[in-house]
Amino acid sequence: MSRTARTASAALTVALALGVSACGGSGGDDVAADAKQTLTVWAMGAEGEKLAEVAEVYEKANPNVTVKVTPVGWDVAHQKLVSAAAAGTMPDVAQMGGSYMGEFAELGVLEPVDTKTFDKGDFFPAGWSQGEVDGTAYGVPWYVDTRVLYYRTDLAKKAGVDKAPADWQEMRSLAAAYQEKAGTKWGLSIQPSGLDTVQNFYPFLYSAGGAILDDKGEAVIDSPEAVTALKEYGAYFDKGLSNKSVQPGYDVVKDFGNGRVPMFFGGPWHVTLLNEGQPQIKGKWAVAPVPAGTSSVSMAGGSSLVVSKDSEHKAAATAFIKYLTDTEGQADWYERTKDLPANTAAWDSGKLADDANLQVFRKQMDTAKSSPSTAQLTEITDKVDQAIAKVTQGKASAEDALKTAQSEIEGIVKQ
């Protein structure tokens, strides 16, 4: 999922002012799933292009249903959804990332998931929780991603290490050994500042047992666990193991390939990028679970599929989402896109079951944690980004930076 624009609260206010009520309401009687009809679907980025191919296959098996897929760029997705919500013109089905879910659930434009059709137990827990807001599921998990550790095995051996780091101490020691014995420029690539730095920080925060908000929605970013995590994160910059100045849009793949950067936290798409873009290091790198603080926990990402509250095609929308998220549909979607299935049964056969690298992602997803579903999420994570930057640039201690963030986030959640 692409990064959310930093306009969530403003957009929410505007949309409410334009008359979107929290109660929502049906646009009319729902059409039967097998009746002749056109189903409108918005999907983002590359998924929007690929979904049109799947829709053609679906239409052949369901000739009364025409699936009209509109690809939407991630750069404009949030604003288009807000505008559609305000105008009452939401598509029947939309792809929605976890960072949007709280906002649009609060707007009252999403239909709750039919839990008689979709079983929570069929999906990764973190994938399902991304679609939940205040205990109600609004999105069915479509695909998931998480972050794991990519590391250069050949350079690790040169540094005298023959296994993946299992915990923080081993990871920091390996980062130093890469520099001192293997001659790398850096030890670990993590983001020092800027938009969504928090995504690099999550594996540290969650592995330390910390969180931004607790289960009640209250700020806890200044907890001892969070402070411990930010101290560890900041140590890489303080000791010169990570670059304090990284340009926006920096792509770590090239530097991983040339050996300047021997470790980074990456998603499943990096497997393909490395295989295709850096063939000279084939067999010289591997992936491993996030090194543990008190445990090994990474962030969960991905997208869900939602149904509009005002759709007159809810039955057909539900049937189409069921097709996309059952075991067969998920395996087919992986083959087309390499998006990781949210349905756990899709991992039990074929390439997904046989690929050792992909199984690392599955293992990580079992413990991965999703971001809190709140309408103010982007405002909240912006404050965490600022706190991280203060520490990585040596402008504040972890305690002071998170104390400030705590106060600012408390003000946001109490609005």
Side-chain angles (χ1 to χ4, degrees):
M1 196 194 90
S2 180
R3 285 141 170 70
T4 306
R6 299 284 172 180
T7 55
S9 291
L12 176 63
T13 301
V14 170
L16 288 172
L18 289 172
V20 178
S21 70
C23 60
S26 174
D29 294 333
D30 192 42
V31 178
D34 58 354
K36 193 168 184 63
Q37 60 195 294
T38 296
L39 194 65
T40 57
V41 181
W42 287 6
M44 318 315 178
E47 282 76 23
E49 302 294 339
K50 291 293 183 180
L51 186 58
E53 299 174 5
V54 178
E56 291 180 3
V57 177
Y58 184 78
E59 288 172 342
K60 291 177 181 178
N62 300 270
N64 281 343
V65 180
T66 299
V67 182
K68 182 180 179 181
V69 178
T70 300
V72 179
W74 275 115
D75 57 336
V76 297
H78 181 261
Q79 187 54 52
K80 283 183 70 69
L81 285 167
V82 169
S83 298
T89 57
M90 287 281 287
D92 297 305
V93 177
Q95 175 185 356
M96 188 165 288
S99 59
Y100 293 2
M101 199 66 67
E103 178 182 4
F104 286 89
E106 187 171 307
L107 283 172
V109 297
L110 304 182
E111 180 74 7
V113 170
D114 178 359
T115 53
K116 292 182 180 179
T117 301
F118 301 99
D119 186 346
K120 176 179 180 178
D122 289 341
F123 303 93
F124 287 110
W128 185 268
S129 67
Q130 285 186 87
E132 284 188 325
V133 180
D134 296 331
T136 298
Y138 292 96
V140 180
W142 187 17
Y143 64 87
V144 295
D145 75 65
T146 188
R147 304 295 184 270
V148 300
L149 183 71
Y150 285 73
Y151 73 106
R152 285 285 297 268
T153 53
D154 59 334
L155 297 176
K157 290 178 181 177
K158 189 175 180 180
V161 178
D162 61 2
K163 63 175 183 175
D167 56 33
W168 284 359
Q169 181 178 352
E170 290 184 0
M171 181 166 65
R172 206 195 306 178
S173 294
L174 178 56
Y178 273 131
Q179 284 185 321
E180 296 166 6
K181 299 178 182 179
T184 64
K185 176 66 176 177
W186 307 107
L188 172 71
S189 177
I190 47 178
Q191 192 171 329
S193 60
L195 179 66
D196 285 337
T197 301
V198 69
Q199 292 196 8
N200 269 206
F201 180 54
Y202 279 139
F204 290 81
L205 178 65
Y206 295 154
S207 291
I212 298 176
L213 304 178
D214 64 14
D215 293 340
K216 298 178 181 178
E218 297 178 356
V220 290
I221 194 58
D222 66 344
S223 69
E225 293 83 2
V227 170
T228 296
L230 189 50
K231 283 182 176 179
E232 183 65 22
Y233 194 91
Y236 283 87
F237 300 91
D238 183 56
K239 296 181 180 298
L241 298 170
S242 296
N243 191 352
K244 286 186 177 182
S245 178
V246 176
Q247 294 299 315
Y250 168 72
D251 183 3
V252 73
V253 170
K254 182 178 179 180
D255 280 348
F256 190 71
N258 64 32
R260 284 172 57 86
V261 168
M263 286 194 296
F264 70 96
F265 290 103
W269 60 90
H270 283 109
V271 173
T272 300
L273 291 176
L274 289 170
N275 286 338
E276 295 180 355
Q278 304 295 324
Q280 77 279 8
I281 59 169
K282 182 178 180 180
K284 299 179 180 179
W285 60 272
V287 297
V290 167
T294 57
S295 59
S296 172
V297 184
S298 191
M299 64 166 285
S303 282
S304 299
L305 296 168
V306 301
V307 176
S308 168
K309 187 86 169 181
D310 286 338
S311 172
E312 296 180 2
H313 308 278
K314 294 187 180 73
T318 297
F320 184 57
I321 293 174
K322 182 67 174 176
Y323 175 81
L324 295 175
T325 60
D326 67 14
T327 302
E328 185 176 343
Q330 291 271 277
D332 175 67
W333 188 243
Y334 171 76
E335 289 299 322
R336 294 174 184 273
T337 65
K338 303 309 178 188
D339 287 340
L340 300 184
N343 187 317
T344 57
W347 290 80
D348 294 336
S349 62
K351 185 176 180 180
L352 284 159
D354 298 335
D355 190 309
N357 284 334
L358 292 175
Q359 285 299 312
V360 172
F361 285 95
R362 177 177 185 166
K363 179 181 179 182
Q364 196 72 73
M365 274 303 304
D366 285 336
T367 61
K369 185 173 180 178
S370 60
S371 301
S373 295
T374 171
Q376 298 88 15
L377 181 61
T378 52
E379 292 178 86
I380 290 169
T381 56
D382 181 64
K383 302 306 180 185
V384 182
D385 288 343
Q386 293 176 32
I388 297 168
K390 291 176 185 177
V391 173
T392 64
Q393 303 306 305
K395 295 180 179 179
S397 66
E399 290 90 346
D400 289 345
L402 291 180
K403 182 178 180 181
T404 298
Q406 174 76 12
S407 177
E408 293 171 336
I409 293 171
E410 285 177 345
I412 293 170
V413 298
K414 290 178 181 177
Q415 290 176 0

